[in-house]
mmCIF file of all heavy atoms in Angstrom:
data_model
loop_
_atom_site.group_PDB
_atom_site.id
_atom_site.type_symbol
_atom_site.label_atom_id
_atom_site.label_comp_id
_atom_site.label_asym_id
_atom_site.label_seq_id
_atom_site.Cartn_x
_atom_site.Cartn_y
_atom_site.Cartn_z
ATOM 1 N N ARG A 46 4.715 -11.134 -30.499
ATOM 2 C CA ARG A 46 4.428 -10.273 -31.638
ATOM 3 C C ARG A 46 2.975 -10.301 -32.100
ATOM 4 O O ARG A 46 2.304 -9.278 -32.308
ATOM 5 C CB ARG A 46 5.298 -10.626 -32.850
ATOM 6 C CG ARG A 46 6.752 -10.240 -32.627
ATOM 7 C CD ARG A 46 7.633 -10.772 -33.770
ATOM 8 N NE ARG A 46 9.052 -10.470 -33.500
ATOM 9 C CZ ARG A 46 9.688 -9.398 -33.978
ATOM 10 N NH1 ARG A 46 9.006 -8.494 -34.695
ATOM 11 N NH2 ARG A 46 10.937 -9.173 -33.733
ATOM 12 N N LEU A 57 -5.943 1.180 -32.162
ATOM 13 C CA LEU A 57 -6.050 2.121 -33.282
ATOM 14 C C LEU A 57 -7.448 2.317 -33.719
ATOM 15 O O LEU A 57 -7.807 3.317 -34.354
ATOM 16 C CB LEU A 57 -5.167 1.644 -34.465
ATOM 17 C CG LEU A 57 -3.631 1.798 -34.267
ATOM 18 C CD1 LEU A 57 -2.843 1.057 -35.287
ATOM 19 C CD2 LEU A 57 -3.227 3.270 -34.212
ATOM 20 N N LEU A 89 11.392 0.996 -41.536
ATOM 21 C CA LEU A 89 12.255 1.520 -40.482
ATOM 22 C C LEU A 89 13.491 2.095 -41.183
ATOM 23 O O LEU A 89 14.129 1.479 -42.006
ATOM 24 C CB LEU A 89 12.593 0.471 -39.451
ATOM 25 C CG LEU A 89 11.485 -0.051 -38.589
ATOM 26 C CD1 LEU A 89 11.952 -1.264 -37.818
ATOM 27 C CD2 LEU A 89 11.004 1.045 -37.615
ATOM 28 N N SER A 124 8.982 9.671 -38.735
ATOM 29 C CA SER A 124 8.760 9.853 -37.295
ATOM 30 C C SER A 124 9.258 11.203 -36.769
ATOM 31 O O SER A 124 10.207 11.747 -37.369
ATOM 32 C CB SER A 124 9.445 8.756 -36.480
ATOM 33 O OG SER A 124 9.035 7.469 -36.911
ATOM 34 N N ILE A 126 11.113 12.678 -33.482
ATOM 35 C CA ILE A 126 11.918 11.995 -32.372
ATOM 36 C C ILE A 126 11.796 12.777 -31.032
ATOM 37 O O ILE A 126 11.964 14.000 -30.990
ATOM 38 C CB ILE A 126 13.381 11.910 -32.806
ATOM 39 C CG1 ILE A 126 13.498 11.001 -34.062
ATOM 40 C CG2 ILE A 126 14.238 11.326 -31.691
ATOM 41 C CD1 ILE A 126 12.884 9.647 -33.930
ATOM 42 N N LEU A 127 11.546 12.062 -29.983
ATOM 43 C CA LEU A 127 11.561 12.630 -28.641
ATOM 44 C C LEU A 127 12.854 12.273 -27.981
ATOM 45 O O LEU A 127 13.231 11.106 -27.901
ATOM 46 C CB LEU A 127 10.393 12.074 -27.804
ATOM 47 C CG LEU A 127 8.999 12.164 -28.350
ATOM 48 C CD1 LEU A 127 8.024 11.414 -27.527
ATOM 49 C CD2 LEU A 127 8.569 13.700 -28.409
ATOM 50 N N ALA A 134 17.319 4.767 -25.784
ATOM 51 C CA ALA A 134 16.185 4.573 -26.738
ATOM 52 C C ALA A 134 15.473 5.935 -26.976
ATOM 53 O O ALA A 134 14.919 6.468 -26.037
ATOM 54 C CB ALA A 134 15.219 3.570 -26.202
ATOM 55 N N PRO A 166 5.083 19.022 -23.965
ATOM 56 C CA PRO A 166 5.262 20.216 -24.827
ATOM 57 C C PRO A 166 4.852 19.954 -26.267
ATOM 58 O O PRO A 166 4.182 20.774 -26.862
ATOM 59 C CB PRO A 166 6.765 20.530 -24.692
ATOM 60 C CG PRO A 166 7.170 19.939 -23.403
ATOM 61 C CD PRO A 166 6.377 18.698 -23.263
ATOM 62 N N HIS A 171 1.003 20.760 -30.757
ATOM 63 C CA HIS A 171 0.341 20.222 -31.962
ATOM 64 C C HIS A 171 -1.134 19.853 -31.743
ATOM 65 O O HIS A 171 -1.947 19.819 -32.670
ATOM 66 C CB HIS A 171 1.106 19.051 -32.505
ATOM 67 C CG HIS A 171 2.440 19.375 -32.999
ATOM 68 N ND1 HIS A 171 3.524 19.540 -32.133
ATOM 69 C CD2 HIS A 171 2.918 19.674 -34.258
ATOM 70 C CE1 HIS A 171 4.596 19.852 -32.862
ATOM 71 N NE2 HIS A 171 4.242 19.948 -34.142
ATOM 72 N N ASP A 194 -22.685 8.164 0.397
ATOM 73 C CA ASP A 194 -23.311 8.103 -0.911
ATOM 74 C C ASP A 194 -24.808 8.549 -0.792
ATOM 75 O O ASP A 194 -25.253 9.324 -1.646
ATOM 76 C CB ASP A 194 -23.264 6.627 -1.429
ATOM 77 C CG ASP A 194 -23.860 6.493 -2.838
ATOM 78 O OD1 ASP A 194 -23.269 7.005 -3.784
ATOM 79 O OD2 ASP A 194 -24.953 5.887 -2.959
ATOM 80 N N ALA A 335 -9.980 5.861 33.410
ATOM 81 C CA ALA A 335 -8.890 5.932 34.365
ATOM 82 C C ALA A 335 -7.522 5.985 33.708
ATOM 83 O O ALA A 335 -6.568 6.687 34.138
ATOM 84 C CB ALA A 335 -8.919 4.685 35.286
ATOM 85 N N GLY A 339 -5.201 9.045 34.193
ATOM 86 C CA GLY A 339 -3.946 8.630 34.808
ATOM 87 C C GLY A 339 -2.719 9.108 33.981
ATOM 88 O O GLY A 339 -1.767 9.662 34.588
ATOM 89 N N ASN A 404 -9.286 10.728 15.571
ATOM 90 C CA ASN A 404 -10.541 11.519 15.286
ATOM 91 C C ASN A 404 -11.158 11.965 16.569
ATOM 92 O O ASN A 404 -11.739 13.109 16.647
ATOM 93 C CB ASN A 404 -11.503 10.696 14.500
ATOM 94 C CG ASN A 404 -12.621 11.510 13.909
ATOM 95 O OD1 ASN A 404 -12.396 12.467 13.193
ATOM 96 N ND2 ASN A 404 -13.840 11.192 14.330
ATOM 97 N N TYR A 409 -12.402 16.441 20.144
ATOM 98 C CA TYR A 409 -12.208 17.061 21.494
ATOM 99 C C TYR A 409 -11.694 18.496 21.335
ATOM 100 O O TYR A 409 -12.133 19.389 21.982
ATOM 101 C CB TYR A 409 -11.300 16.210 22.305
ATOM 102 C CG TYR A 409 -11.064 16.719 23.728
ATOM 103 C CD1 TYR A 409 -11.890 16.349 24.767
ATOM 104 C CD2 TYR A 409 -10.076 17.627 24.006
ATOM 105 C CE1 TYR A 409 -11.734 16.814 26.066
ATOM 106 C CE2 TYR A 409 -9.871 18.127 25.260
ATOM 107 C CZ TYR A 409 -10.734 17.698 26.305
ATOM 108 O OH TYR A 409 -10.528 18.190 27.552
#
Side-chain angles (χ1 to χ4, degrees):
Chain A
R46 289 173 183 268
L57 287 168
L89 291 169
S124 302
I126 299 304
L127 303 171
H171 294 81
D194 182 70
N404 192 59
Y409 182 90

